[in-house]
């Protein structure tokens, strides 16, 4: 079913919209949540919470990209659950991806960090536009969808080592790009 039709069903408050979302995007949502959480039951709960989030926010919101909106909710729900579940533990796939990026983008929770988040998002989008399509996809799969290096190697038909080297080079380019733009690391 087309996204526009699903949005119409949501605006009509039809439960068929949730079924259509699950049918069209359920697999990708569960994969994203699962790669962050490493637990199928928690992943399924986050996906269901995302469907509830869509139900509660559409209407009045009308997202331009239903898939991006839904996956954003899944990712936010999953990272929140992840932090709750792993206050003292580590999930190797997700932590590894975050640790890799931290050398370019330090994490922070202060008010100033929140204010700068919008500027950082703009800079990241600008940086992604400078990458070749394959590198952009690789970056997003690793650092947005939290795909493992092994999964990426299979997807791109390369060795894990070659994927790791490419990711390292992309992160290095990102760090240099951010410095050039005046973003203090």
């Amino acid at each position: 079913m087309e996204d526009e039709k699903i949005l119409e069903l949501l605006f009509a408050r039809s439960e068929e919209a949730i079924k259509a979302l699950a049918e069209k995007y359920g697999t990708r949502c569960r994969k994203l949540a699962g790669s962050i959480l490493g637990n199928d039951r928690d992943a399924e709960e986050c996906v269901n919470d995302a469907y509830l989030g869509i139900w509660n926010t559409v209407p009045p919101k009308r997202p331009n990209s239903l898939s991006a909106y839904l996956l954003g909710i899944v990712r936010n729900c999953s990272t929140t659950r992840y932090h709750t579940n792993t206050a003292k533990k580590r999930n190797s796939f997700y932590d590894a991806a975050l640790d890799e990026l931290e050398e370019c983008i330090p994490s922070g929770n202060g008010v100033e960090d929140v204010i700068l988040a919008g500027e950082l998002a703009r800079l990241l989008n600008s940086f992604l536009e400078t990458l070749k399509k394959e590198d952009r996809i690789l970056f997003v799969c690793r650092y947005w969808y939290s795909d493992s290096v092994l999964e990426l190697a299979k997807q791109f038909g390369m060795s894990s080592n070659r994927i790791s080297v490419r990711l390292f080079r992309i992160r290095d380019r990102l760090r240099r790009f951010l410095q050039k733009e005046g973003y203090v690391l």
Side-chain angles (χ1 to χ4, degrees), residues 100 142 147-154 160-161 163-164 167:
E100 289 169 10
R142 178 69 175 147
D147 290 350
S148 71
V149 171
L150 186 58
E151 289 173 318
L152 293 171
K154 288 177 186 173
S160 295
N161 187 52
I163 292 292
S164 295
L167 288 168

Side-chain angles (χ1 to χ4, degrees), residues 13-185:
R13 309 312 290 160
S14 170
E15 291 180 19
E16 291 298 314
I18 301 302
K19 290 177 186 172
L21 278 173
E23 192 173 297
K24 186 168 184 179
Y25 297 113
T27 301
R28 187 63 183 153
C29 289
R30 283 187 299 280
K31 183 178 182 326
L32 172 59
S35 68
I36 292 171
L37 294 166
N39 178 314
D40 290 340
R41 192 177 80 206
D42 284 349
E44 191 63 39
E45 286 182 32
C46 284
V47 171
N48 288 333
D49 288 348
Y51 295 150
L52 178 62
I54 288 267
W55 184 263
N56 289 336
T57 58
V58 178
K61 245 184 186 170
R62 185 175 197 91
N64 291 331
S65 171
L66 185 58
S67 63
Y69 188 71
L70 175 61
L71 290 169
I73 294 173
V74 170
R75 188 174 201 284
N76 290 340
C77 178
S78 299
T79 54
T80 300
R81 175 74 56 92
Y82 167 79
H83 290 298
T84 301
N85 290 351
T86 60
K88 296 190 183 211
K89 299 182 275 181
R90 290 181 60 85
N91 172 332
S92 61
F93 292 130
Y94 190 59
D95 283 332
L98 292 179
D99 289 346
E100 289 169 10
L101 268 185
E102 193 158 283
E103 66 191 45
C104 302
I105 306 168
S107 63
N109 297 322
V111 173
E112 185 177 307
D113 296 320
V114 172
I115 293 170
L116 294 175
E119 178 63 15
L120 180 58
R122 185 190 66 74
L123 288 171
L124 278 172
N125 284 330
S126 295
F127 170 73
L128 290 172
E129 289 174 3
T130 69
L131 297 177
K132 293 182 285 183
K133 182 179 180 180
E134 190 173 76
D135 286 344
R136 186 171 47 246
I137 292 168
L138 182 64
F139 184 90
V140 170
C141 286
R142 178 69 175 147
Y143 301 115
W144 177 258
Y145 293 115
S146 302
D147 290 350
S148 71
V149 171
L150 186 58
E151 289 173 318
L152 293 171
K154 288 177 186 173
Q155 180 181 341
F156 284 84
M158 298 179 194
S159 70
S160 295
N161 187 52
R162 187 164 175 205
I163 292 292
S164 295
V165 168
R166 279 182 77 174
L167 288 168
F168 174 81
R169 289 178 179 157
I170 293 169
R171 289 191 313 273
D172 187 55
R173 284 182 60 194
L174 173 60
R175 188 176 29 76
R176 286 185 279 127
F177 178 85
L178 292 173
Q179 287 172 337
K180 181 180 157 203
E181 294 293 320
Y183 187 83
V184 180
L185 301 176

